[in-house]
Amino acid sequence: MNSVGKDEIINILDKYDKDEITIATLGSHTSLHILKGAKEEGFKTVLICEKGRETPYKRFNIADEYILIDKFSDIVNLDIQEKLKSMNSIVIPHGSFVAYAGLDEIENDFIVPIYGNRKILRWEADRDLERKLLVEENIRIPKKYHDPKDIDRSVMVKFPGARGGRGYFVASSFDEFNHKINDMKSRGWIDDSDAEQAHIEEYVAGCNYCIHYFYSSINNEVELMGMDSRYESNIDGIVRIPSKDQLDISLNPSYLITGNHPVVMRESLLTQVFNIGDKLLKSANKLVAPGLNGPFCMQTIVNDDLEVIVFEISARIDGGTNSFMNGSSYSYLKHGPGMSMGRRIALEIKTAIKKGELYKIIT
Ligand code: AMP
């Protein structure tokens, strides 16, 4: 199978009417503020949405046009691709787009211009590749255990894919690891192949900050756009139970993201924040040319040594950007009021069109 080449995409872009560009995305994840931001920057907007899921989009009146499909994965169907191209569409990839369209299809079959680097999406989805990106420039990450028999402290056990933390657990010994793996299997939360691929890492005790960056390749600068912390089920419910009762009940914690809180970090940590953002940009440039482009996110825990420790990245817009649809404290400092991540993307595309550099920021 041939992967979608840049030349192919440039050919399509050459035929586009640059005064009539449409910003397109799939109706899920961060599409509300992606399309709102696109509208604010003067673009036409289209939402591709699964039938039955359109209510919030229509109630917020978020798109100029809706393409309703039977199932989200139909976004890669040829007739939908043709429709998008006929509208001069640039597609903004987000977590649900990647999950529903599929990495292979995005790399090989989806021949519509995408904002950012389509190749890097595989790197964030695969834990080993993701780790390479972080290790390349010595970004501080949790210690990894290759064999559960080596567990010598509290560890966090994770499973493949972006499943919102479902089935993740904490253990402190090999015995506890085995016991909990069996428990997760009996609940149907993981299967044998998940168990074989269990990822075990040091449990970092601290506070959660998900840092949202935007790399402008037009300005060659990494911007800090906002931060959120996660609101996770059922762990955030369990911690409301007094600790003596926690021991008495048989609930096992899970880390399924159900929402996000906006947050700011103590100011003295921002030097580290910019440093790790610049480092990730550098390693992405080295390992997955053309590297990062547009939004990316580092999910971190700040421990009581005030170290910012990165346990996960998103190489595209992250769901936590929904916590600043009207701008964040940090986007305010750089851009003034009302700059969401969606709007920042649209601003970048607008600037690239004005400068005749659209080809630089799409793949
Ligand atoms: P993830 O699916 O990797 O985003 O993890 C889900 C949640 O698990 C995070 O939001 C954190 O609350 C928690 N978490 C992940 N990795 C660690 C770690 N190494 N130490 C402590 N908590 C973690």
Side-chain angles (χ1 to χ4, degrees):
M1 228 183 294
N2 283 335
S3 56
V4 179
K6 179 94 181 184
D7 293 352
E8 229 170 331
I9 295 295
I10 299 282
N11 278 340
I12 295 167
L13 201 65
D14 282 345
K15 295 191 196 106
Y16 273 11
D17 178 348
K18 309 296 184 303
D19 296 325
E20 293 290 326
I21 295 287
T22 300
I23 301 295
T25 199
L26 196 66
S28 181
H29 197 261
T30 41
S31 58
L32 284 171
H33 77 88
I34 290 175
L35 294 194
K36 177 74 178 171
K39 203 74 225 155
E40 281 170 332
E41 292 300 325
F43 287 103
K44 289 201 300 189
T45 55
V46 60
L47 188 82
I48 307 102
C49 193
E50 190 167 281
K51 282 177 196 154
R53 296 273 297 257
E54 64 272 30
T55 304
Y57 308 104
K58 295 218 159 148
R59 296 281 267 269
F60 286 122
N61 192 21
I62 215 67
D64 294 323
E65 213 171 306
Y66 295 84
I67 301 176
L68 295 182
I69 51 184
D70 289 332
K71 47 187 192 322
F72 275 131
S73 54
D74 290 347
I75 188 169
V76 295
N77 289 358
L78 285 181
D79 56 331
I80 306 297
Q81 295 194 36
E82 284 310 319
K83 177 113 208 235
L84 288 171
K85 284 188 277 190
S86 72
M87 297 170 81
N88 307 301
S89 299
I90 296 177
V91 173
I92 313 299
H94 53 51
S96 303
F97 173 75
V98 176
Y100 291 117
L103 282 170
D104 289 340
E105 286 76 4
I106 293 171
E107 284 174 357
N108 303 319
D109 307 326
F110 192 66
I111 313 172
V112 181
I114 287 184
Y115 175 57
N117 178 0
R118 62 174 79 205
K119 271 194 264 165
I120 205 168
L121 299 171
R122 184 172 293 282
W123 284 65
E124 62 144 64
D126 177 314
R127 280 195 202 287
D128 293 328
L129 293 176
E130 181 189 33
R131 212 171 168 83
K132 266 196 194 166
L133 276 176
L134 292 164
V135 169
E136 180 70 24
E137 288 292 322
N138 293 319
I139 295 172
R140 172 79 166 88
I141 54 177
K143 175 179 157 60
K144 179 177 174 176
Y145 288 78
H146 295 279
D147 186 337
K149 292 196 187 82
D150 296 336
I151 295 173
D152 59 351
R153 66 186 83 174
S154 297
V155 295
M156 177 120 199
V157 182
K158 303 181 180 182
F159 300 96
R163 57 177 74 209
R166 197 164 174 84
Y168 289 11
F169 61 82
V170 178
S172 303
S173 66
F174 182 46
D175 279 354
E176 193 179 345
F177 172 87
N178 285 331
H179 173 77
K180 288 192 171 164
I181 285 277
N182 289 333
D183 185 48
M184 293 299 161
K185 276 201 228 165
S186 65
R187 285 167 185 239
W189 287 11
I190 62 168
D191 57 26
D192 286 336
S193 108
D194 292 328
E196 274 162 33
Q197 295 176 69
H199 167 94
I200 308 167
E201 68 183 32
E202 162 197 3
Y203 182 82
V204 182
C207 306
N208 173 230
Y209 295 86
C210 297
I211 309 169
H212 304 285
Y213 300 89
F214 182 88
Y215 173 60
S216 164
S217 48
I218 302 290
N219 301 333
N220 189 21
E221 188 182 33
V222 174
E223 299 170 11
L224 173 57
M225 289 295 295
M227 293 184 198
D228 79 283
S229 69
R230 305 280 146 115
Y231 204 25
E232 293 164 342
S233 233
N234 57 17
I235 188 70
D236 286 311
I238 289 180
V239 294
R240 290 168 58 86
I241 303 168
S243 59
K244 66 177 174 51
D245 299 332
Q246 286 177 18
L247 295 174
D248 291 339
I249 57 172
S250 63
L251 278 174
N252 268 330
S254 59
Y255 299 81
L256 187 75
I257 296 172
T258 62
N260 308 76
H261 312 279
V263 67
V264 290
M265 235 184 224
R266 62 189 277 173
E267 198 166 306
S268 56
L269 291 168
L270 294 181
T271 308
Q272 276 191 71
V273 165
F274 281 104
N275 273 341
I276 56 174
D278 290 348
K279 281 181 169 186
L280 193 67
L281 178 75
K282 215 168 152 187
S283 58
N285 272 336
K286 272 197 240 168
L287 300 175
V288 212
L292 286 163
N293 201 345
F296 65 100
C297 169
M298 304 245 220
Q299 297 165 44
T300 75
I301 295 170
V302 178
N303 67 13
D304 54 7
D305 288 326
L306 294 178
E307 288 177 295
V308 181
I309 302 171
V310 181
F311 63 89
E312 191 97 73
I313 60 170
S314 304
R316 35 81 197 160
I317 189 167
D318 178 271
T321 56
N322 285 338
S323 64
F324 58 98
M325 293 197 201
N326 58 348
S328 78
S329 304
Y330 300 109
S331 72
Y332 174 71
L333 293 174
K334 179 85 180 166
H335 295 285
M339 187 59 75
S340 68
M341 189 64 94
R343 187 168 169 197
R344 183 65 189 89
I345 295 170
L347 178 62
E348 185 81 349
I349 294 174
K350 196 161 106 177
T351 312
I353 293 171
K354 265 194 212 144
K355 293 187 157 192
E357 293 182 352
L358 197 50
Y359 67 94
K360 276 193 184 168
I361 62 170
I362 51 114
T363 54

